[in-house]
Amino acid sequence: MVTETITLILYLSGHIAEHTAFEKLSKCLKAKRTIERNLYKDTGTVRYSCESKTVEISKGPDGSNYIVRIVE
């Protein structure tokens, strides 16, 4: 299923390395702040961004949704 969602994207050296979907922008920004404060301090090659993206979503084995790929 293709839908538009708020996505937290991890950019490594300018390329997308990981992405996670959120229902609300506020939850995405909260996760971004937590990650930037606690996990990774190298700001030269790493950047986190909350963006509205069109994505393809699929159901996992446990019934939860996950992003298969970014369509844009």
Side-chain angles (χ1 to χ4, degrees):
M1 169 173 68
V2 176
T3 186
E4 188 163 327
T5 186
I6 301 297
T7 308
L8 176 60
I9 301 174
L10 166 62
Y11 291 98
L12 285 173
S13 300
H15 301 286
I16 295 176
E18 285 190 39
H19 41 70
T20 305
F22 288 90
E23 313 87 42
K24 295 182 177 181
L25 180 60
S26 61
K27 290 186 180 202
C28 182
L29 291 171
K30 181 179 179 181
K32 177 184 171 197
R33 281 192 305 273
T34 302
I35 291 168
E36 287 176 337
R37 286 182 188 156
N38 298 324
L39 296 179
Y40 207 83
K41 303 295 181 191
D42 179 17
T43 58
T45 60
V46 176
R47 182 173 65 95
Y48 295 93
S49 178
C50 289
E51 301 176 10
S52 179
K53 293 284 188 181
T54 303
V55 297
E56 183 179 336
I57 294 180
S58 183
K59 289 256 188 215
D62 61 350
S64 63
N65 291 332
Y66 68 95
I67 296 175
V68 176
R69 67 183 176 97
I70 296 175
V71 175
E72 292 184 320

